[in-house]
Amino acid sequence: MSTIPPSEDLARPFHADVKQVVDIRSDLDANHIAISSISLDEPLVTRRELLSYYLYSNGGNGVGLGYTQTLFQGLATAAGYDPVVGPGSSCLATTASGQCVVPWGSGTKSVSSVVLTADGISFGIMTVILTTIGSAADYGTFGRWLLFAITVVCWAAQYACMTLTTPNRWVLAMILSIISFVSYSITLVFYAALFPRLARNTPRVRQLREKYETGEISPEVYDQEESLEKNRITDIFTVHSNVGFVTTLLLNLALLLPMANNPKVDNYVIVVVNTYWVVLGIWWFVFQESRPGPKLPKGEHYLTIGWKQIWAALKTYKHLPYTFVYLSSYFLLADGLNTTGTLVGICQNDKFSFSFLQNTYLGLSQAITSTISTLAFWYIQKYWKISTKKMFVVTNVVTILIPLWGMIGIWTEKLGSVSFDLFHDIIIPLRSALGSTTAYNVMFGLFQAPYYAYSLTMMAELSPPGFENMFFGLFGLFNRASSMVGPNVIQVIIDKTGNNWQGFPFLFAMCTIASVVIWFGVDVTKGRSDAVRWAAEQRRHIH
């Protein structure tokens, strides 16, 4: 029995007011723009529903995740010792060599390598979860409840960080960091998989659909406008995420500044950040309209259907060449960028001695520039009707420059303070030069927030309609779980060289290769048409 989910149109008795707008034939001209079919009995997206969708992103802005890792790394460092001096020494002593190890198995392991190992474990767990139940979210209401359950797990893990108050609990901190990272990353996958369907059901797109069906606008115009609507939603929830980022950081300062000498202030900060997400995120589960997928095929199970669907998709990869080229290239790009972020975080924590306050200041630089740049990118795209891929290419260029900046850090730490320390002089009176870490946070804010938004829209453009959870599950797998490669390679480099910065050349090469393949090897227009044809063909087999 086929495990491919039928479209909503074919899962119900056919009604006259539900129009099948494409007829997919095997001999259809490859250059023809295929428009996906939608069911008019799906509820329109209301303002309240869309606002609650944005508020979930506002609350789940990722600040707590960063603080959890900082707390984990800080406790591990406090529990470790300087290998140059020997057991019993402190890694935090003024005379420390800068190296720090903790007991690991029958020997020791550097704290930086332990953090990267935790990332590798996290990505491995995500691989299992996303491949097992990712595709199952396309059936019935399973995806809706799955997102709720995983969100609650993430909230619980963050609140549990209140127990992390002494260095000897660094192993527990590692476990909670892994749970938080895995659950949060999976919420991003299933949350993002919702927006293509939301975009198809906004009042504006429904009106455009009617004009297309009556011949008032061409397929090319409708295709462009639907793409812009997807970009609008992704850009707005990215802006909301960054607004939430700024808001939570400011709330944190209200604790960090007056309670600087309180030993539990870092734990209180994580609780505040998590509570902010709970208060804003819960409304999505209250106001989300019901748009269930088809019933699970008879004889199938939620825990096995995911693997069968992925295998079915992989067997037909020749019919979705651009989708799989993008996914394969994104494997390397996401691996390089995610590991770059982890490595910068390690360097940043080392530089500022795991200070929540200093990291909050750096986070503000990133969040403020992210909000401004995402809005700027959207208005530029909207005004000139620029395609998603062209906007994505621009952000890719800076994706390559970030690890390049880290390579420069091998030879000098002064370059960062030359061109990117305006933040240092204007916003906060930091007494130390922020150097490369400030450069990273500003560059990340200016270009990486739009990068994430456009990478999601690229995936939405290349995903077969009605199969979003399946392909966003693969996307999330490649975005997060693929990074089992990067952290493991980087930790070997760090262990051999003793220098965190030596990992950046490898990351630079990885990001460059992936970006070039996407620039020249992915045709979004043809890929979108291929995806629509593939989806219709799968539905026909089922029907």
Side-chain angles (χ1 to χ4, degrees):
M1 177 182 294
S2 174
T3 60
I4 302 296
S7 73
E8 289 78 357
D9 297 349
L10 300 180
R12 306 181 182 91
F14 186 83
H15 298 290
D17 62 338
V18 181
K19 184 173 182 179
Q20 185 77 17
V21 298
V22 294
D23 180 18
I24 306 301
R25 301 186 304 274
S26 60
D27 61 343
L28 192 61
D29 181 4
N31 295 318
H32 177 76
I33 294 180
I35 305 297
S36 62
S37 60
I38 60 173
S39 174
L40 298 183
D41 61 354
E42 282 192 354
L44 278 172
V45 175
T46 64
R47 289 185 178 181
R48 184 175 65 179
E49 181 185 19
L50 197 56
L51 177 59
S52 67
Y53 183 73
Y54 294 147
L55 288 178
Y56 183 95
S57 177
N58 190 307
N61 51 67
V63 171
L65 192 67
Y67 283 144
T68 302
Q69 187 174 44
T70 299
L71 186 59
F72 157 44
Q73 189 176 348
L75 291 178
T77 300
Y81 65 88
D82 188 337
V84 175
V85 180
S89 61
S90 173
C91 298
L92 302 176
T94 56
T95 57
S97 66
Q99 300 181 49
C100 188
V101 298
V102 292
W104 189 267
S106 59
T108 62
K109 199 176 190 67
S110 72
V111 171
S112 296
S113 291
V114 169
V115 173
L116 289 168
T117 298
D119 278 353
I121 294 172
S122 299
F123 298 136
I125 295 172
M126 285 179 57
T127 300
V128 174
I129 293 176
L130 288 176
T131 53
T132 301
I133 62 176
S135 301
D138 285 315
Y139 294 99
T141 60
F142 183 71
R144 179 175 187 167
W145 293 109
L146 181 62
L147 178 60
F148 176 73
I150 295 176
T151 300
V152 170
V153 169
C154 188
W155 289 344
Q158 292 285 281
Y159 280 129
C161 289
M162 269 304 299
T163 64
L164 306 177
T165 55
T166 57
N168 63 353
R169 295 180 180 176
W170 72 268
V171 175
L172 176 60
M174 178 178 176
I175 294 172
L176 290 177
S177 178
I178 291 173
I179 295 174
S180 297
F181 185 88
V182 170
S183 57
Y184 177 73
S185 299
I186 293 177
T187 64
L188 294 182
V189 169
F190 294 115
Y191 169 81
L194 294 166
F195 87 85
R197 177 170 289 186
L198 292 177
R200 291 196 296 268
N201 285 287
T202 61
R204 170 175 166 74
V205 171
R206 282 288 187 87
Q207 291 174 1
L208 290 169
R209 190 52 170 260
E210 292 177 2
K211 291 182 179 180
Y212 162 72
E213 292 177 359
T214 58
E216 295 181 49
I217 60 175
S218 65
E220 291 80 5
V221 171
Y222 175 80
D223 189 60
Q224 181 185 60
E225 292 298 328
E226 183 180 308
S227 177
L228 285 173
E229 186 72 357
K230 292 174 184 175
N231 278 291
R232 182 182 73 88
I233 292 177
T234 55
D235 285 341
I236 292 176
F237 77 61
T238 301
V239 168
H240 263 276
S241 178
N242 285 293
V243 169
F245 205 94
V246 172
T247 303
T248 51
L249 290 177
L250 292 176
L251 287 173
N252 295 343
L253 288 178
L255 284 176
L256 290 169
L257 293 176
M259 301 179 65
N261 297 322
N262 189 313
K264 294 184 179 180
V265 65
D266 294 345
N267 307 81
Y268 295 150
V269 164
I270 294 177
V271 170
V272 169
V273 170
N274 198 46
T275 301
Y276 180 82
W277 185 12
V278 172
V279 171
L280 295 186
I282 195 66
W283 298 110
W284 169 245
F285 303 106
V286 175
F287 295 126
Q288 179 185 9
E289 294 287 344
S290 179
R291 299 182 185 89
K295 293 181 179 180
L296 194 69
K298 187 176 180 180
E300 298 296 339
H301 193 278
Y302 285 111
L303 294 179
T304 58
I305 195 168
W307 291 94
K308 294 180 180 179
Q309 281 198 354
I310 291 173
W311 178 243
L314 292 175
K315 287 194 299 183
T316 59
Y317 75 95
K318 291 183 179 179
H319 300 288
L320 297 169
Y322 298 111
T323 301
F324 282 100
V325 167
Y326 177 68
L327 284 170
S328 301
S329 302
Y330 199 79
F331 178 97
L332 294 178
L333 187 62
D335 194 350
L337 185 61
N338 290 336
T339 309
T340 296
T342 300
L343 189 54
V344 169
I346 291 172
C347 295
Q348 185 170 293
N349 286 332
D350 283 343
K351 189 177 184 69
F352 297 118
S353 301
F354 318 103
S355 168
F356 272 39
L357 181 59
Q358 301 285 23
N359 285 342
T360 296
Y361 287 144
L362 291 171
L364 277 172
S365 70
Q366 183 185 124
I368 292 172
T369 51
S370 292
T371 303
I372 296 172
S373 66
T374 303
L375 289 172
F377 268 76
W378 163 241
Y379 283 114
I380 290 172
Q381 182 185 23
K382 181 181 179 182
Y383 184 82
W384 278 290
K385 304 287 186 180
I386 303 174
S387 70
T388 300
K389 183 182 175 181
K390 290 179 180 177
M391 301 298 288
F392 187 56
V393 166
V394 173
T395 64
N396 277 172
V397 172
V398 182
T399 299
I400 297 173
L401 292 179
I402 290 176
L404 177 62
W405 193 275
M407 288 174 59
I408 296 173
I410 296 174
W411 302 286
T412 177
E413 293 185 358
K414 295 180 179 179
L415 183 61
S417 61
V418 173
S419 57
F420 283 96
D421 250 353
L422 290 177
F423 168 73
H424 169 276
D425 298 324
I426 296 175
I427 300 180
I428 54 172
L430 289 180
R431 289 185 295 273
S432 59
L434 299 182
S436 298
T437 53
T438 296
Y440 168 78
N441 281 278
V442 172
M443 291 176 69
F444 188 99
L446 288 175
F447 292 95
Q448 292 312 108
Y451 157 84
Y452 280 119
Y454 289 119
S455 68
L456 288 172
T457 308
M458 284 276 288
M459 191 66 249
E461 301 276 32
L462 296 170
S463 294
F467 298 80
E468 285 87 1
N469 281 292
M470 174 182 176
F471 280 87
F472 268 87
L474 290 173
F475 179 74
L477 174 62
F478 287 2
N479 180 35
R480 296 287 188 177
S482 63
S483 292
M484 287 186 292
V485 178
N488 290 322
V489 173
I490 297 303
Q491 71 169 304
V492 172
I493 294 174
I494 292 175
D495 284 342
K496 288 187 175 182
T497 64
N499 185 347
N500 292 336
W501 298 93
Q502 293 289 344
F504 285 109
F506 172 78
L507 298 174
F508 172 74
M510 184 181 293
C511 290
T512 301
I513 293 172
S515 295
V516 170
V517 172
I518 292 175
W519 297 348
F520 299 103
V522 177
D523 187 319
V524 176
T525 301
K526 292 182 179 179
R528 184 165 51 239
S529 295
D530 289 342
V532 172
R533 294 185 183 90
W534 183 89
E537 189 65 32
Q538 302 307 312
R539 294 163 185 159
R540 178 177 297 171
H541 290 327
I542 295 173
H543 192 58

